[in-house]
Amino acid sequence: MLDFALDFERPVVDLERKIEELKQLRAGDLDFSEEIERLESRAARLREEIFADLTPWQVVQLSRHPSRPYTMDYIAALMTDFVELHGDRLFRDDPAIVGGLAYFDHAPVLVLGHQKGRNTKDNMRRNFGMPGPEGYRKAKRLMELADRFGLPVICFIDTPGAYPGIGAEERGQAEAIAKNLEVMAGLRVPVVAVVIGEGGSGGALALGVANRILMLQYSTYSVISPEGCASILWKDGACAPQAAEVLHLCARDIIDLKVADELILEPPGGAHRDPAAAAARLGEALRRHLTELRVLGPDELVAQRYQKYRAMGVFVEH
């Protein structure tokens, strides 16, 4: 049972709580089987109705759901023998980005991703998934390591954006992100990036220059957060739902714009409702794309990545 529910989820969650109460009361001569079956059917129908017509702002809220699986959850579900590597060898280790060596599908890979916290203390330590320059320099160091040893790179993207603090700017935030783009563009190994939650601004793009970009169904990918866009365009952060509409940041929009390559359907109600099923679907997609990319040579991988990004942003003026 979820500890937290979004407003539009609440009718379903309330029904599920009633079902759980009836299951616990069921004992002896009391038989609530018919009532439980009726409520379960009603909950499934209601969930399907609600999630069939979500607004972009509701998708944004789902992408930020505190119960949603994070990078370390997917690593635990999909990888074996994960060894986390720390530090940028310049300033410090940034817990907002995790990365290391692991086995995926019995083959070695380098896995990276943004990491948020599950509680206030952990979120403070991980800076709510907003890396500073040292986080991106750590990622660059690990990707260069993967390139040296011929290991495919898997990136999990889930961040509101790079940390915009004064200290981060003083330590070269913009340069660190730009350097990552340069390094990723030239990696001679397969690179697959997956947006698992929020894909916010340059903070997301710094791990997003890949041969294949995948998006979970209720993830988002945008140049700026809806709140940031609203504060610039309308001088009012409360206009975030309106901004979410015009940003076209939902996964289906990003697929239509040919920025991402595949949408991965989530379990009914979102990945947080069934993390194991979400991980299984993500694992199947990763396996398929890595299999296709592994047959390409180093020069072909670089050329394919170059052509992919050259083709983005085409528009026609009438």
Side-chain angles (χ1 to χ4, degrees), residues 131-208:
E134 48 276 9
Y136 294 114
R137 289 178 179 130
K138 172 170 70 172
K140 178 178 76 73
R141 180 176 75 83
L142 298 187
M143 288 187 286
E144 289 173 337
L145 182 73
D147 195 54
R148 194 179 313 145
F149 290 101
L151 302 178
V153 176
I154 299 172
C155 296
F156 294 119
I157 296 171
D158 186 16
T159 180
Y163 182 59
I166 292 175
E169 297 298 333
E170 289 174 340
R171 295 193 301 278
Q173 181 81 290
E175 184 273 341
I177 292 174
K179 193 65 180 177
N180 270 30
L181 306 186
E182 179 189 4
V183 168
M184 291 192 80
L187 291 176
R188 295 167 62 80
V189 294
V191 184
V192 179
V194 190
V195 186
I196 59 174
E198 292 182 273
S201 191
L205 187 59
L207 296 187

Side-chain angles (χ1 to χ4, degrees), residues 37-264:
E37 187 176 334
R38 185 182 68 81
L39 288 175
E40 285 178 335
S41 177
R42 184 179 164 195
R45 195 164 55 249
L46 184 59
R47 187 187 305 114
E48 187 176 338
E49 290 172 1
I50 291 172
F51 282 82
D53 193 28
L54 293 178
T55 67
W57 179 241
Q58 288 172 328
V59 174
V60 169
Q61 291 176 294
L62 270 178
S63 75
R64 299 170 174 173
H65 200 293
S67 300
R68 197 170 174 84
Y70 295 151
T71 291
M72 290 300 289
D73 299 312
Y74 285 116
I75 290 175
L78 298 173
M79 315 283 176
T80 58
D81 299 321
F82 174 63
V83 178
E84 186 174 356
L85 302 174
H86 298 272
D88 66 343
R89 302 296 187 265
L90 292 168
F91 183 64
R92 70 178 183 101
D93 183 51
D94 187 346
I97 284 186
V98 295
L101 303 170
Y103 282 92
F104 173 68
D105 207 25
H106 308 293
V109 296
L110 188 285
V111 59
L112 283 167
H114 303 94
Q115 178 67 26
K116 299 176 180 176
R118 287 289 176 201
N119 52 49
T120 302
K121 182 179 179 182
D122 199 28
N123 257 322
M124 293 296 290
R125 185 172 77 87
R126 297 194 184 274
N127 203 30
F128 297 86
M130 295 186 291
E134 48 276 9
Y136 294 114
R137 289 178 179 130
K138 172 170 70 172
K140 178 178 76 73
R141 180 176 75 83
L142 298 187
M143 288 187 286
E144 289 173 337
L145 182 73
D147 195 54
R148 194 179 313 145
F149 290 101
L151 302 178
V153 176
I154 299 172
C155 296
F156 294 119
I157 296 171
D158 186 16
T159 180
Y163 182 59
I166 292 175
E169 297 298 333
E170 289 174 340
R171 295 193 301 278
Q173 181 81 290
E175 184 273 341
I177 292 174
K179 193 65 180 177
N180 270 30
L181 306 186
E182 179 189 4
V183 168
M184 291 192 80
L187 291 176
R188 295 167 62 80
V189 294
V191 184
V192 179
V194 190
V195 186
I196 59 174
E198 292 182 273
S201 191
L205 187 59
L207 296 187
V209 181
N211 295 96
R212 302 285 168 84
I213 300 172
L214 318 180
M215 291 188 70
L216 290 185
Q217 184 177 4
Y218 301 123
S219 64
T220 61
Y221 204 16
S222 64
V223 69
I224 190 172
S225 70
E227 293 89 343
C229 178
S231 65
I232 292 171
L233 294 184
W234 294 286
K235 312 299 181 189
D236 184 0
C239 294
Q242 184 179 348
E245 292 275 354
V246 300
L247 280 169
H248 296 288
L249 44 62
C250 299
R252 293 193 187 278
D253 295 319
I254 304 301
I255 296 289
D256 290 342
L257 291 168
K258 302 190 188 311
V259 172
D261 300 290
E262 183 179 339
L263 180 147
I264 302 169

